[in-house]
Amino acid sequence: MNAHPVTAISGGAVVAFDGSEHRLIEPGVIAFAGDEIVYVGRDYPGTPASLIDACGMLVIPGQISAHAHVSAQEGSRLLIDGGRRDFFRSGFLNYVPTKGGDGAAFLQHQDARASLRFGMASLVRHGITTVLPFAPAGADHGHMMIEAAGEFGLRVYYSPLASGGRYHFDSQGRPQRAWDEGAGLRALCAAAEFISAHDGKHSGRFRGMVTIDEFYFSTPLIRRRARELAEQLGVGVSLHCSEQLSEFHETVRQTGHTPVALLAKEGFLGPRTVLAHCLYIAGHSATAYPYGDDLALIAQSQASVAHSPLAFSRRGVALESFQRYLDAGVNMALGTDTYPLDMFAEMRMGCIVAKIVEKNHESAKAMDLFNASNLGGARALGRPDLGRLARGAKADIVVIDFRSLAIGPVPDPIRALVHLATPDMVDTVIVDGQTLMRGKRLLMCNEAEVLAAARASSERVWASFAAYDWAERRIDEAFPPAIKPWQDPVE
Ligand SMILES: [Zn+2]
């Protein structure tokens, strides 16, 4: 019996989970006590200790970002309309390689803490309550992530990334890959120690997750070890997979298998495996490789795909397609990837892009993307108590203010949410029964200070770009701005 005082959220439209799917109760009541939802229905039978008036609002489960780079995104912000053509639309290669084998890194002057705090604050402001962040250890071996998770109150699934090598630009600006399997294996050992020491911190909100940076920069031994560690520790495993076209082609050339088929053959795929992106699979129109059935392999293994339509749409790249993956039985989660950390934008772009790819307006329905934003992520993380508003589930609740000209009349709240909602409509965010945001204000931080610190950090990164760039270009030479600076007329 839950003895905590009860808080009821009433008067709004509630997206409630009936045990098999989301259903609408309008008006409805959701009540929670401690970290647990204790009632979902039309009338709370009793007197709650406190009340939240949700009149004119939509109450939804906390959103789960199953893949995110939680920072200020100094690199990817530069890439719209530009970046190198020889990377075949991949974005991160433009700024991830160091200058020479041991030279300057793009982010060498970043204030990593300010950048991470900005990302965490953005997630809460966007109604995201659980995140699987991809980030290296940093100088403090991942402790900054633990600290930020505690400060901002979200659920975080993390351990520092392991990689089997590093990218660098040579003196001609050519990207080179230097393999270091030993470093990848050592990083996995460190990740195992990290997870053993910290899994369950912050009242269980901080959880371990084995993460390999990229399939493309992993070896069979690294993948096997990662899989074994995940099983030993009882946690999930995630990696960027089939994100680069060259990754797909090189894997097929060297192994005779697509990346997905190779992972399936190795036994890497399983119910707690999260494949980030997974764009280039057999049959994708860019691959020139129609053979095999990668989707059937993913579906059979019960692995999940973390789909991030927005960042890839900006590069002109599409999953082919969300509907096809869903129809094949693949568990689809959504990830906010780079920026903005905005699940509404991901849902909307996911719907639209899939309709264009399929040339079918009935594809990728609003409800399917909404499900991916909560139930899909919960399944990917093995959490039947998340991503749903149901009795006994965790009290991770988001209240969206629909009293807005931008929303307008609402014939259907899920379609309105997916196609019209923006982050400024998020009114209240509750995680584990703790209120993180109320009345559109973050309660755990000063938002203006967080923003100012992130901007100052990013300006330093951009101002020092020439010292990083292989050709010593200024940032406006390497990434020309959309608008030219004003020139005063010569008298
Ligand atoms: Zn990523």
Side-chain angles (χ1 to χ4, degrees):
M1 187 64 198
N2 189 325
H4 296 276
V6 172
T7 299
I9 304 172
S10 68
V14 174
V15 176
F17 189 70
D18 71 355
S20 60
E21 64 178 342
H22 293 305
R23 296 273 181 155
L24 186 69
I25 313 174
E26 188 176 16
V29 182
I30 175 162
F32 63 94
D35 64 355
E36 189 188 6
I37 293 170
V38 295
Y39 175 83
V40 178
R42 296 186 195 280
D43 290 298
Y44 180 68
T47 309
S50 51
L51 259 179
I52 294 174
D53 179 10
C55 223
M57 305 198 193
L58 181 69
V59 186
I60 64 169
Q63 304 180 105
I64 298 171
S65 179
H67 181 82
H69 299 271
V70 184
S71 70
Q73 305 297 340
E74 291 87 347
S76 46
R77 281 177 197 273
L78 301 170
L79 279 174
I80 296 177
D81 310 329
R84 282 173 55 165
R85 293 174 177 177
D86 55 335
F87 296 158
F88 300 101
R89 301 188 194 163
S90 266
F92 70 93
L93 285 175
N94 284 277
Y95 53 84
V96 159
T98 53
K99 181 184 186 179
D102 288 310
F106 173 66
L107 293 175
Q108 59 184 330
H109 296 297
Q110 185 199 52
D111 176 345
R113 187 164 178 273
S115 188
L116 179 60
R117 292 182 81 240
F118 165 81
M120 288 286 182
S122 295
L123 287 166
V124 179
R125 172 152 283 293
H126 288 76
I128 291 163
T129 57
T130 299
V131 65
L132 197 171
F134 261 49
D140 69 341
H141 310 288
H143 286 264
M144 197 186 291
M145 189 67 79
I146 303 174
E147 182 201 323
E151 180 186 1
F152 288 88
L154 293 108
R155 294 184 195 279
V156 173
Y157 279 75
Y158 171 77
S159 76
L161 285 175
S163 180
R166 290 170 62 192
Y167 295 95
H168 67 267
F169 288 122
D170 67 18
S171 59
Q172 306 299 307
R174 292 173 297 213
Q176 305 289 350
R177 295 205 298 156
W179 285 89
D180 189 346
E181 185 178 61
L185 294 172
R186 286 192 297 280
L188 283 175
C189 284
E193 281 175 28
F194 180 91
I195 292 169
S196 299
H198 305 298
D199 186 54
K201 276 227 162 96
H202 305 319
S203 306
R205 291 193 299 276
F206 193 85
R207 302 294 292 269
M209 185 91 190
V210 175
T211 50
I212 298 175
D213 195 355
E214 272 189 287
F215 167 81
Y216 196 29
F217 236 146
S218 68
T219 62
L221 182 58
I222 287 174
R223 295 192 289 272
R224 194 171 80 223
R225 191 78 191 112
R227 175 89 249 157
E228 288 166 358
L229 282 178
E231 273 162 28
Q232 281 163 19
L233 296 164
V235 300
V237 58
S238 186
L239 78 181
H240 286 111
C241 178
S242 286
E243 175 180 359
Q244 299 187 60
L245 196 50
S246 51
E247 168 188 9
F248 181 91
H249 286 144
E250 200 174 310
T251 305
V252 171
R253 266 213 303 265
Q254 292 193 348
T255 71
H257 300 284
T258 67
V260 165
L262 187 63
L263 290 173
K265 182 166 170 269
E266 292 175 348
F268 186 87
L269 302 179
R272 297 286 297 278
T273 309
V274 182
L275 303 174
H277 310 317
C278 207
L279 286 157
Y280 297 114
I281 61 166
H284 190 286
S285 59
T287 60
Y289 194 87
Y291 320 107
D293 193 345
D294 285 348
L295 290 181
L297 294 174
I298 303 171
Q300 279 159 19
S301 73
Q302 300 179 54
S304 299
V305 168
H307 177 37
S308 304
L310 187 60
F312 286 92
S313 296
R314 285 195 297 253
R315 304 303 296 162
V317 177
L319 195 74
E320 295 181 355
S321 67
F322 179 86
Q323 187 64 53
R324 207 176 130 224
Y325 283 48
L326 209 59
D327 290 345
V330 175
N331 180 50
M332 296 300 287
L334 290 177
T336 46
D337 203 36
T338 55
Y339 77 97
L341 296 162
D342 180 352
M343 191 62 84
F344 308 115
E346 297 294 346
M347 289 193 284
R348 185 172 313 143
M349 190 58 79
C351 275
I352 292 169
V353 169
K355 289 176 196 300
I356 293 171
V357 168
E358 290 292 330
K359 298 182 171 59
N360 181 352
H361 64 275
E362 295 177 12
S363 292
K365 293 182 165 66
M367 199 64 199
D368 294 326
L369 273 296
F370 179 73
N371 285 336
S373 79
N374 43 59
L375 296 172
R379 188 172 147 199
L381 296 172
R383 290 295 299 264
D385 57 344
L386 299 183
R388 68 208 69 199
L389 301 181
R391 203 169 153 212
K394 291 290 182 192
D396 294 5
I397 304 161
V398 174
V399 183
I400 318 281
D401 188 353
F402 266 19
R403 297 168 302 177
S404 161
L405 285 177
I407 288 284
V410 179
D412 180 295
I414 295 300
R415 292 193 183 116
L417 182 81
V418 169
H419 288 281
L420 300 169
T422 53
D424 57 312
M425 295 170 192
V426 176
D427 180 86
T428 299
V429 177
I430 295 161
V431 178
D432 221 22
Q434 306 290 318
T435 303
L436 307 182
M437 184 171 166
R438 184 82 187 97
K440 304 185 179 176
R441 286 174 57 86
L442 295 179
L443 302 182
M444 83 298 282
C445 70
N446 179 323
E447 206 169 320
E449 277 175 24
V450 168
L451 178 60
R455 283 188 172 166
S457 166
S458 298
E459 294 294 340
R460 277 202 303 280
V461 170
W462 294 326
S464 63
F465 182 81
Y468 160 72
D469 187 50
W470 64 275
E472 297 175 0
R473 294 167 298 179
R474 290 191 321 268
I475 196 137
D476 58 332
E477 294 169 325
F479 302 100
I483 184 166
K484 293 173 189 160
W486 175 261
Q487 300 280 342
D488 288 322
V490 181
E491 294 297 327

